Amino acid sequence: MTCASCVGIVEEAIRALPGVRSATVNMATEKARVEYDPSQVEPRKILEAIQEAGYEIAVDQVTFGIKGMVCASCVGIIEESLLAVDGVFSATVNLATEKATVRYNPELVTVEVLKAAIVGAGYEVIEAETLDTEMAEREREQRRQFALLVFSLALSIPIMVLMIGFDFFGWAEVLGITGYEGYVLFIMATPVQFIAGHQFYVGTYYALRNRRANMDTLIAMGSSAAYFYSVVVVFLPSLIPFHHHTYFDTSAMIISLILFGKYLEAKAKGRTSQAIRKLIGLQARTARVVRDGVEVEVPVDLLKVDDLFVVRPGEKVATDGMVEDGSSAVDESMITGESIPVEKAVGSSVIGGSINKNGMLRVRASKVGKDTALAQIIRLVEDAQASKAPIQRYADNVSAWFVPAVIAIASIAFLVWYLFAYGQLVGGEEGFVFSLIIFISVLVISCPCALGLATPTAIMVGSGKGAEHGILFKSAEALEITGKVHTVVLDKTGTITKGEPEVTALVALGRSETDILRLAAAAEKGSEHPLAEAIVRRAVRDGIEVPEAKGFEAVPGQGVRATVDDSVVLIGNRKLMDANGVDVFSAETRLQEMESGGNTAMLLSIDGRLAGVIGVADVVKETSREAIAELRKMGIEVIMLTGDNPRTAKVIASQVGIDKYIAEVLPENKAKEVSRLQGEGGKVAMVGDGVNDAPALAQADVGIAIGSGTDVAMETGDIVLIKSDLIDVVAAVQLSRRTMSKIRQNLFWALGYNSAGIPIAAGVLYPFLGVLLNPIVAAGAMALSSVSVVTNAALLKRYTPEIKRKDKRS
């Protein structure tokens, strides 16, 4: 808030809500006091009203690791529980990463209250200060689940073997337990049901308490139906006079197979999160810090800004910093995706986690902890994996009614077969058992897990794979939309071109080229103009000794004047030459050639006579033409946006194969051009440097900030490209399309599996083929369905860009 008018705007916005009795805003404290009727308006609506009025609210964000989620229904339960807490603005739960991200007002709610809401919904919060400890906790949970699986199988398999032996080979008589077979199976099956299967009952309890049903509900109902029916057969046989066969093997194997599926799913999910694990593994554990002239090895967590540390050959750079002594080649491929080691010398910046190849370096720490480039990259990848893609809403909507619908279908199938169909098709008195088998099969074959995992697992792999190639998607929505873009708008300077003018042509008139460059560099040495810097860089690169100039004078809009070696040197445009009576007719042809080639021609005169012409241009990047051609092959229209004059814009556009360009666009008008293109239809992506192009990046459907280097925390841009290479724009589109393809495959499989499996389990094939699905087979199919979805998503790890950047050494 900047003035008293702001107070009135905020108060009016709040008072407009039904149920608000009063609203008082204090400009000094920047706080709003609101009295309202909670039965008519939620705190969240008040916060939204303040935001819609154009003001920010105090919002913190926290992410929790969660244990106990089994399907998409759990996601809904946790989100509803968190959103019911006053002060919570949004809650996003990800089934694949098993994390909840909550945005809340810290003045209304505390982190402890949020944790209590999750626990109250029946789930556990992983108390982990670091990603390492969280992963360790998840690995412990995985080992516990594996122990339960072994325990369950150790009893379930013998139960099945004994059932077969009792039924077909007379083992009861051989073992001398005739008449007691049911008791033996009961003793063996009960631990499986209530120890290995305990988690399913607990999950069902909490789900029902939240007026929801989840996968645990289906498993608990299905296995319990088989188990308790068998218990009645054993202990109260008079209640079921028509059938004395038990189904302890069914109840035990259902639980065992589901546990087996959950174990395989956890292993597969581990593979999908390898990218984030790799990034975390890049972090150095210790650093050799120089203290009082002595090297001391300390944990990297104790490093402070300005600490001096040593990096020996083969060691990881402990943290971001600047080289103060030494030189070496440093491998940054694991962070930037650049395969060639980068030469480092005094004054060079280094990235924490990169590997020193040969020489020894002394580095001054510039960033530590969560501020380092690697930590920022990890955070961006985690945020993207925790977010939801728009397509996920479809799966969430289906999941909300899926389990209740399955329970209803199972119940209807039981009643139809028991009351009507069984007697007509099969006959006999065993209709109840036949119908019970159908009821159990329908419950245990249905798989809400596959539906819930279809999208987030692919997002996990896709965003992680992007990070491996230096492409950082800030959200799942960006990952989804990028593949749908119809138009890519490219800023010229620094995006298509290198962004650093270079000397591209040099014409000497009566003197050597070296002498012309020496005098020009001397005169331009005192200028900060980019063209002047290009001339000085060229002279230094060519090893020319640049003399000192006297009497330096910058002539605005024309050039510079200076005295070098007792000669008056002028360097600039035609206006400067004309104003000082220098004849340029002899160089007119060369001037036109340079300018028609997109160069800026700079004229040099010595003591009033034209001595040379220097052409300076912003050179096109080596891969720009190839990348633009690839984008066009993909059916994407490419447009160049630049503030340059139309002639220069036309030259650059023709060099890279762009047909459409918009020239003389001021920075503040770039966003308007993007908006105009959006109005023509289709998704528009804007590629720029993330600073000068910030408004245009924000306006576009997808803003791509290119060449950020290690500054990946920039707020503008939905995608951050670490390297300044348009090849990565192509790779981002390819990766988005591959990821969405996997999501569609997963959703098709999940829906197709359930659409086919449930009717088969309900017995629709029995009248025609005499085939009835065994509940054990149904449980196995359910277990494998979610594993197949996760495994299919993991195949994205094989992705490599179809267009590869050229080796810089060639």
Side-chain angles (χ1 to χ4, degrees):
M1 292 188 293
T2 57
C3 63
S5 298
C6 303
V7 172
I9 293 171
V10 175
E11 288 180 345
E12 287 179 12
I14 298 173
R15 288 171 184 157
L17 295 172
V20 172
R21 301 190 188 100
S22 67
T24 306
V25 177
N26 188 310
M27 184 175 168
T29 61
E30 295 187 306
K31 291 185 178 181
R33 181 180 180 82
V34 184
E35 292 185 13
Y36 64 96
D37 183 351
S39 65
Q40 296 185 49
V41 62
E42 299 177 5
R44 191 180 311 107
K45 295 295 183 182
I46 298 173
L47 298 177
E48 289 174 355
I50 296 172
Q51 283 191 316
E52 289 173 2
Y55 299 89
E56 295 183 7
I57 53 177
V59 176
D60 281 358
Q61 180 170 303
V62 64
T63 299
F64 301 111
I66 299 176
K67 282 200 302 186
M69 292 195 294
V70 294
C71 68
S73 295
C74 301
V75 171
I77 291 170
I78 297 172
E79 287 181 345
E80 287 180 6
S81 299
L82 288 168
L83 290 171
V85 178
D86 284 348
V88 172
F89 187 66
S90 67
T92 304
V93 178
N94 189 300
L95 179 61
T97 60
E98 297 181 286
K99 289 186 178 182
T101 301
V102 187
R103 296 178 70 244
Y104 64 99
N105 187 337
E107 296 183 2
L108 295 178
V109 63
T110 64
V111 172
E112 294 305 318
V113 171
L114 298 176
K115 290 180 180 179
I118 296 172
V119 173
Y123 302 89
E124 293 182 53
V125 176
I126 296 178
E127 302 285 352
E129 296 181 0
T130 67
L131 288 167
D132 287 340
T133 53
E134 181 180 330
M135 286 183 177
E137 175 64 26
R138 293 201 184 282
E139 286 171 0
R140 279 195 293 273
E141 174 63 16
Q142 193 170 312
R143 288 194 295 271
R144 189 183 75 84
Q145 289 290 341
F146 181 70
L148 283 175
L149 171 61
V150 172
F151 170 78
S152 179
L153 288 173
L155 291 170
S156 299
I157 293 174
I159 289 172
M160 282 202 69
V161 172
L162 286 175
M163 286 285 288
I164 294 171
F166 292 155
D167 289 345
F168 300 104
F169 302 105
W171 285 9
E173 186 176 347
V174 173
L175 296 173
I177 55 172
T178 303
Y180 295 94
E181 304 97 312
Y183 296 99
V184 172
L185 296 172
F186 166 76
I187 293 170
M188 296 176 70
T190 299
V192 176
Q193 191 70 29
F194 298 109
I195 297 177
H198 175 260
Q199 58 190 302
F200 301 120
Y201 287 105
V202 172
T204 298
Y205 166 74
Y206 281 107
L208 295 177
R209 198 179 73 172
N210 288 285
R211 297 184 297 279
R212 297 287 288 264
N214 60 10
M215 189 194 81
D216 286 337
T217 310
L218 299 177
I219 304 306
M221 288 180 66
S223 63
S224 295
Y227 175 81
F228 286 110
Y229 171 81
S230 302
V231 168
V232 172
V233 169
V234 171
F235 292 98
L236 300 169
S238 59
L239 295 179
I240 307 177
F242 49 80
H243 188 87
H244 288 166
H245 187 79
T246 61
Y247 291 93
F248 286 121
D249 58 333
T250 300
S251 65
M253 284 306 296
I254 286 173
I255 290 173
S256 296
L257 287 171
I258 298 303
L259 289 175
F260 180 60
K262 286 171 68 70
Y263 175 73
L264 291 180
E265 179 186 312
K267 296 287 284 185
K269 281 200 287 187
R271 290 195 296 272
T272 64
S273 62
Q274 278 182 357
I276 197 76
R277 289 170 180 262
K278 284 181 181 178
L279 288 170
I280 294 167
L282 294 177
Q283 295 172 318
R285 304 298 179 188
T286 60
R288 300 177 187 276
V289 182
V290 179
R291 300 262 168 88
D292 299 324
V294 180
E295 290 184 24
V296 181
E297 190 168 304
V298 301
V300 74
D301 294 340
L302 299 181
L303 270 178
K304 298 177 181 177
V305 173
D306 288 332
D307 273 350
L308 183 66
F309 61 93
V310 176
V311 189
R312 294 176 179 172
E315 292 182 343
K316 289 182 179 179
V317 177
T319 192
D320 296 359
M322 194 76 70
V323 177
E324 288 203 352
D325 184 41
S327 62
S328 180
V330 176
D331 182 4
E332 299 177 345
S333 60
M334 64 292 294
I335 297 171
T336 67
E338 186 61 65
S339 59
I340 309 300
V342 182
E343 294 295 329
K344 302 291 183 181
V346 175
S348 300
S349 60
V350 290
I351 308 172
S354 56
I355 299 174
N356 183 24
K357 301 297 286 185
N358 39 48
M360 188 170 80
L361 300 173
R362 283 177 175 261
V363 181
R364 183 73 64 180
S366 59
K367 293 180 180 178
V368 297
K370 62 182 177 62
D371 296 324
T372 64
L374 184 56
Q376 291 172 12
I377 290 171
I378 292 171
R379 179 180 61 79
L380 282 183
V381 175
E382 282 193 308
D383 288 348
Q385 293 182 346
S387 63
K388 284 189 179 183
I391 196 171
Q392 176 67 25
R393 299 185 192 120
Y394 168 74
D396 289 345
N397 291 334
V398 174
S399 299
W401 55 261
F402 182 85
V403 174
V406 168
I407 294 173
I409 292 170
S411 302
I412 292 170
F414 173 85
L415 292 173
V416 168
W417 278 103
Y418 181 61
L419 298 177
F420 305 106
Y422 186 85
Q424 297 177 18
L425 293 172
V426 183
E429 300 177 346
E430 299 181 0
F432 179 84
V433 175
F434 184 91
S435 303
L436 181 65
I437 291 172
I438 286 177
F439 175 78
I440 296 169
S441 295
V442 171
L443 291 177
V444 299
I445 200 171
S446 308
C447 190
C449 317
L451 200 58
L453 291 169
T455 299
T457 49
I459 294 295
M460 280 178 66
V461 183
S463 58
K465 198 65 183 176
E468 288 182 18
H469 292 280
I471 304 165
L472 304 176
F473 293 92
K474 285 190 172 183
S475 67
E477 183 175 7
L479 183 55
E480 177 177 338
I481 295 177
T482 302
K484 300 177 181 178
V485 296
H486 294 82
T487 304
V488 171
V489 179
L490 303 175
D491 178 54
K492 180 184 78 69
T493 305
T495 301
I496 295 174
T497 64
K498 291 183 178 179
E500 291 185 357
E502 295 181 4
V503 174
T504 56
L506 200 158
V507 177
L509 302 173
R511 288 175 178 257
S512 68
E513 290 186 357
T514 300
D515 197 34
I516 294 297
L517 195 56
R518 184 179 71 88
L519 293 171
E524 295 281 24
K525 201 172 181 180
S527 175
E528 295 180 354
H529 196 282
L531 299 180
E533 292 174 352
I535 292 174
V536 175
R537 277 199 306 270
R538 173 63 179 272
V540 172
R541 192 194 76 182
D542 290 354
I544 297 172
E545 187 176 342
V546 180
E548 290 296 323
K550 298 177 183 178
F552 172 83
E553 179 189 355
V555 183
Q558 296 184 17
V560 301
R561 175 188 288 107
T563 300
V564 184
D565 294 342
D566 297 326
S567 296
V568 177
V569 177
L570 299 175
I571 181 168
N573 56 24
R574 283 186 178 85
K575 290 182 181 179
L576 181 65
M577 298 298 127
D578 291 342
N580 289 274
V582 179
D583 185 9
V584 300
F585 180 76
S586 60
E588 193 64 45
T589 302
R590 302 304 298 271
L591 279 170
Q592 292 180 8
E593 289 177 358
M594 285 186 187
E595 290 176 346
S596 63
N599 295 276
T600 298
M602 302 178 69
L603 299 155
L604 175 75
S605 74
I606 301 172
D607 293 330
R609 292 177 61 86
L610 187 66
V613 184
I614 300 174
V616 179
D618 191 0
V619 180
V620 171
K621 295 175 186 175
E622 293 86 350
T623 57
S624 291
R625 184 178 182 87
E626 186 181 7
I628 289 165
E630 191 65 25
L631 286 171
R632 295 180 67 176
K633 283 182 188 176
M634 297 164 74
I636 297 172
E637 182 183 24
V638 182
I639 299 174
M640 184 178 77
L641 207 60
T642 178
D644 281 341
N645 61 72
R647 185 169 59 183
T648 301
K650 181 178 180 181
V651 171
I652 297 297
S654 64
Q655 287 178 3
V656 296
I658 292 178
D659 297 328
K660 188 174 181 180
Y661 58 89
I662 306 171
E664 296 181 334
V665 181
L666 296 174
E668 59 268 26
N669 291 332
K670 288 182 179 180
K672 293 180 181 178
E673 289 295 336
V674 171
S675 178
R676 182 181 64 79
L677 291 169
Q678 288 173 315
E680 295 176 2
K683 303 289 185 184
V684 176
M686 172 70 194
V687 185
D689 62 13
V691 181
N692 298 328
D693 303 314
L697 291 172
Q699 174 64 42
D701 296 290
V702 180
I704 304 176
I706 190 170
S708 64
T710 57
D711 184 21
V712 299
M714 59 179 64
E715 293 300 324
T716 307
D718 304 295
I719 302 173
V720 176
L721 306 181
I722 294 177
K723 296 180 292 298
S724 185
D725 195 332
L726 283 180
I727 292 292
D728 289 338
V729 177
V730 177
V733 176
Q734 289 176 350
L735 186 56
S736 171
R737 292 181 176 181
R738 292 282 187 88
T739 302
M740 291 308 300
S741 175
K742 285 297 178 188
I743 290 174
R744 285 190 287 269
Q745 289 171 19
N746 284 348
L747 288 173
F748 176 81
W749 164 252
L751 291 171
Y753 162 81
N754 283 293
S755 298
I758 292 174
I760 292 172
V764 295
L765 296 180
Y766 188 85
F768 310 103
L769 303 176
V771 175
L772 185 64
L773 189 66
N774 189 298
I776 296 175
V777 175
M782 178 191 190
L784 292 176
S785 63
S786 56
V787 176
S788 65
V789 165
V790 179
T791 303
N792 185 48
L795 293 177
L796 265 175
K797 291 191 300 177
R798 299 178 180 179
Y799 166 79
T800 54
E802 294 173 6
I803 176 172
K804 298 180 180 179
R805 59 180 56 82
K806 297 174 181 177
D807 192 327
K808 292 180 179 179
R809 295 170 295 184
S810 59

